Amino acid sequence: MQVAQYITEQLAAWGVTRIYGVAGDAILPWLDALGKQRQIRYVACRHESAAAMMASAEAKLTGKPAVCTTTSGPGTIQLLNGLADAQTDRAPVVAITGQVETYRLGGEYKQYVPQEDVMRPISRYTTTVAHPEAIGAVLKRAFVTAASQQGVAHLAVCKDVFSRTTGCPLIPALPRQASGLRADRGDVEQAAEWMGRAKKPLMLLGVGARRVADACRRLAEQAGAGVLVSLGAKGVVEESHPLMLGGLGEGGSRAGLDALAAADLLVILGASWFPQAFIPAGVPVVQVDRLPEAIHFHPDLFSVTADLEEVLPLWMRRLENKRPDPDWLARVERWHAAFWQETEQAVAAGPDQPVTPEALMHALSRAVDDDAVITLDTGEHTIWFNRAFRAVRQRPLFSGKWRTMGYGLPAAIAAKLNQPERQVVCVTGDGGLQMCLSELMTAVEQKTAFPLIVVNNGTLGLEEWKMTQAGLVPFGTRLQNPDFVQWARACGVPARSVRSRGELASALTEACASDRLTLLDVHCTLPTLTERKREIPFQAQASSVYNERKI
C-alpha cells in the first residue's frame, strides 16, 4: 500500500482517533488518504501552533500520544511553539510533518529547512523518512518514544515518499509500557522515619498526585499535614477540606506562607514545580517522583525515586500508629480558615462595582460542574484562578513550564472533542485570545460547545504588573481590542458582554448551562495582584531571597 495509507491505517490500529493539522503542499497525499477513511477524525485548524497546542492538551488530558501534522518550511516552524509546550510539560505528542521531495533535500528549494535541526531541542526523537521501507520502524519508534519518555517525537516525511508503495507490515499493537519503577525499600523507610518524627508537616502536591488523589488526602489526614498544591494539582484535594491551605508561589495564599514558616517538614508528591524562593531556608524536604530528573536541587532534601502508587500505601502502613500533633492541627485549621477568608475579602464589593479578575474566578467556581475541565490561557487571570477559584474536583489544563499565550482556546477545543460528555470551560485573557482568535471558527466547525470567557481589561496584565513591581513604567502592554461580542456573532457564536458584578453570576450560570459554544466578554479592572514574595515572613525567608537582600 502507499505510505500515506499505511500511516493512516497504522495510526488507527494504535488507537489514534484524531489528528490536528493545517493543510499544505508537502502533506497533500496524506490528506487525500485521510479524506477517504472514517476511523480518524481530521481537525482542520487555522494555525499550526494551535494544532500542536490541541495535540498537547489532548495528551495532557488522556496521557496517551496525540498527533498533529503540517507541511514543510513555515508550517513546521509554526508548529514549534505548541510542541515546545508538550515537551516541557512532558506530554506525549507525535508530530508528522511533510518535507520536500527526497531529491531536493539539502538544497535551496522553496520551504526547505533541515527539520531535525530545528526539532532537536524540543523533542525526544526526530528523523526524516526518505524511503518508503523505513516508515514502519520509525513510526513505531516515534510512538514508543513519545509514550515511554513523555515528550515529543517527530517524523518528517518527504512528499514523494507519501505516494510510494511500502511493504512494511501493519503492527496491531505497540509494546506495553513498563508498569512501574520499583522503589528502594531503604529510601521508603527512611523517608517514613522523617515523616514519623515530624510534628509540623506540610505536603505540596503536584500534577503527578492527581492519579492518587484519594491516597494523598488520606496520608495528609493520617499525618496531620497541611496541604499546598501547584496549579496543576488544583482539585486533587477539595479546597473546603480543613487541611487545605491553597497554593504556593505567586498564585498561592498568605496562609500557606505562614504555615511554611512554622513547618518542620515539607513532603513533595508528584510536583516537578518547585518555587525555591518561597521555601523557608533550612526546612527539611522529602520528595517522591518517578523521574530522577524531576528531583529538586535543595541542600536539605531526601528523595525517593519511585511511583506514588507504590510508596503511599507503604507509608500509610508504616505511619498507622502516628497521631497528629493536636496543636499543629489546630494551627492548620486556623490557617485554612484564614485562607478561605482571604479570598472572601479579596472579592467583596457591591453589585455595581466593576469586575476584578479575582471576583470573576471566585464566581466561576460557583457556576461550573465539580468535575469540569478548565482550560486556562497564560496571564494575570491564571494567577488569580490559582488564588481565588474554589476547586472541588475540577481539572485545570494550561501551559505549565512553557507558559505560552494563546493556549486556552485550542486546549478547550481538544478537551471537548476528547471528553464531549464532560463540561469544559475556557478562560482566556484578551491578549491570549487575539493570538488564536481564528480558532473560534475551528471550534464552530467541530461543533464543540463550551463557555469561552474573555478577561477583557485592555492590557497584557501580567507583563504590566511585573513592570510595575520592578519599578519600571509599563510600556507596550496596553491593547486596543476588537468588539469580541461582534466578532463571536460574526462566527455564529452567541455572545454577551458583562460590565458589573451584578451581572456576573447570572451570566456565568447561563453560559455554563448552555449546550452551545458561548462567548462571555467580561470587562475587568486593570491588574490587581499583590506580590506574594514580599509577604514571606521575615524569619522564614528562603535562602535565595535572603542572599539577594544581603547583596
Side-chain angles (χ1 to χ4, degrees):
M1 70 179 73
Q2 286 187 337
V3 167
Q5 183 183 354
Y6 175 89
I7 295 173
T8 305
E9 293 190 16
Q10 186 64 91
L11 295 182
W14 290 342
V16 174
T17 57
R18 264 170 305 278
I19 295 173
Y20 306 95
V22 176
D25 185 69
I27 60 168
L28 296 182
W30 189 25
L31 292 178
D32 178 67
L34 287 172
K36 294 175 180 176
Q37 54 83 51
R38 293 293 178 266
Q39 289 177 283
I40 298 176
R41 180 176 185 171
Y42 178 74
V43 180
C45 305
R46 270 57 182 177
H47 196 282
E48 294 86 353
S49 181
M53 290 180 196
M54 291 182 201
S56 177
E58 177 179 319
K60 292 176 186 179
L61 194 60
T62 66
K64 300 176 182 178
V67 181
C68 59
T69 187
T70 187
T71 189
S72 58
T76 297
I77 296 301
Q78 294 189 136
L79 204 68
L80 296 179
N81 186 47
L83 294 182
D85 173 78
Q87 178 74 359
T88 54
D89 280 356
R90 305 191 66 86
V93 169
V94 176
I96 302 174
T97 60
Q99 181 57 291
V100 300
E101 291 88 344
T102 51
Y103 61 89
R104 286 175 166 147
L105 290 171
E108 295 184 358
Y109 187 69
K110 65 179 182 179
Q111 296 194 337
Y112 171 72
V113 64
Q115 294 184 24
E116 292 178 47
D117 290 346
V118 298
M119 287 286 182
R120 196 165 287 115
I122 57 165
S123 66
R124 312 233 181 255
Y125 172 69
T126 176
T127 195
T128 300
V129 182
H131 194 281
E133 296 306 315
I135 187 62
V138 296
L139 188 60
K140 178 252 185 185
R141 183 175 176 185
F143 264 76
V144 170
T145 300
S148 62
Q149 298 185 29
Q150 296 292 287
V152 172
H154 164 250
L155 301 181
V157 183
C158 292
K159 181 182 177 181
D160 54 326
V161 172
F162 275 120
S163 301
R164 295 174 64 184
T165 301
T166 181
C168 291
L170 291 169
I171 306 298
L174 290 165
R176 182 177 298 176
Q177 298 297 313
S179 58
L181 176 69
R182 299 297 299 176
D184 183 293
R185 242 351 232 278
D187 288 349
V188 175
E189 291 293 330
Q190 186 170 341
E193 287 182 15
W194 283 38
M195 292 187 66
R197 291 195 302 266
K199 293 185 178 181
K200 299 179 288 184
L202 290 177
M203 289 169 51
L204 170 61
L205 305 181
V207 68
R210 188 169 290 280
R211 64 183 185 273
V212 286
D214 186 59
C216 290
R217 177 187 53 77
R218 287 187 284 112
L219 177 63
E221 292 169 346
Q222 187 171 333
V227 178
L228 299 164
V229 293
S230 70
L231 176 59
K234 200 170 178 68
V236 169
V237 176
E238 187 171 345
E239 293 194 2
S240 61
H241 194 288
L243 296 177
M244 266 297 299
L245 303 178
L248 184 59
E250 290 298 348
S253 68
R254 172 60 196 248
L257 295 177
D258 290 337
L260 275 167
D264 62 3
L265 181 67
L266 177 64
V267 180
I268 302 176
L269 303 177
S272 60
W273 173 78
F274 188 60
Q276 192 154 330
F278 289 83
I279 307 300
V283 65
V285 178
V286 169
Q287 183 185 3
V288 183
D289 204 288
R290 69 185 308 273
L291 300 170
E293 61 267 32
I295 301 298
H296 304 307
F297 180 73
H298 189 276
D300 299 305
L301 182 145
F302 182 81
S303 64
V304 180
T305 305
D307 286 321
L308 291 174
E309 291 89 339
E310 181 183 6
V311 172
L312 296 186
L314 294 174
W315 276 1
M316 283 188 281
R317 286 197 295 271
R318 179 75 163 72
L319 299 171
E320 61 184 358
N321 294 322
K322 178 180 172 63
R323 295 293 176 264
D325 182 279
D327 292 336
W328 177 247
L329 270 181
R331 294 178 73 183
V332 169
E333 291 179 4
R334 286 197 297 271
W335 281 318
H336 168 76
F339 152 62
W340 204 260
Q341 186 62 29
E342 181 182 341
T343 303
E344 297 299 326
Q345 292 173 347
V347 302
D352 296 328
Q353 295 296 309
V355 180
T356 60
E358 56 268 38
L360 169 59
M361 300 308 161
H362 192 256
L364 180 63
S365 63
R366 298 179 176 180
V368 300
D369 292 348
D370 288 351
D371 65 344
V373 176
I374 315 290
T375 70
L376 298 165
D377 220 299
T378 300
E380 184 206 12
H381 65 276
T382 307
I383 298 177
W384 273 122
F385 176 87
N386 205 5
R387 290 190 189 180
F389 185 92
R390 298 286 199 221
V392 182
R393 296 186 307 278
Q394 291 88 0
R395 169 69 186 271
L397 203 57
F398 59 99
S399 181
K401 289 190 173 66
W402 193 241
R403 300 188 180 186
T404 179
M405 291 175 63
Y407 186 83
L409 177 54
I413 295 169
K416 196 62 180 179
L417 289 174
N418 276 272
Q419 299 184 358
E421 302 305 317
R422 191 174 182 182
Q423 186 184 64
V424 173
V425 178
C426 175
V427 182
T428 179
D430 42 8
L433 179 61
Q434 288 184 83
M435 286 193 171
C436 60
L437 198 50
S438 59
E439 300 305 327
L440 188 59
M441 279 310 302
T442 306
V444 171
E445 191 172 75
Q446 296 299 318
K447 298 180 172 59
T448 56
F450 55 85
L452 171 58
I453 300 166
V454 186
V455 183
N456 185 349
N457 61 3
T459 183
L460 301 177
L462 193 55
E463 283 67 29
E464 181 158 316
W465 175 73
K466 287 183 175 181
M467 291 186 77
T468 301
Q469 291 296 325
L472 306 173
V473 177
F475 179 76
T477 59
R478 294 298 172 94
L479 301 172
Q480 182 175 337
N481 291 330
D483 186 325
F484 293 116
V485 170
Q486 289 192 39
W487 181 283
R489 289 173 179 169
C491 296
V493 176
R496 65 174 287 188
S497 178
V498 176
R499 295 179 180 273
S500 70
R501 297 198 188 202
E503 306 171 77
L504 186 59
S506 60
L508 289 171
T509 299
E510 181 181 338
C512 290
S514 175
D515 59 356
R516 296 187 63 184
L517 178 64
T518 304
L519 184 143
L520 281 187
D521 180 16
V522 183
H523 291 255
C524 289
T525 60
L526 290 173
T528 57
L529 282 170
T530 55
E531 190 176 14
R532 280 286 183 246
K533 193 178 293 184
R534 297 183 187 276
E535 300 174 13
I536 298 174
F538 176 76
Q539 69 273 20
Q541 288 292 339
S543 57
S544 60
V545 178
Y546 175 73
N547 289 335
E548 287 172 11
R549 292 189 174 186
K550 278 180 65 178
I551 293 170

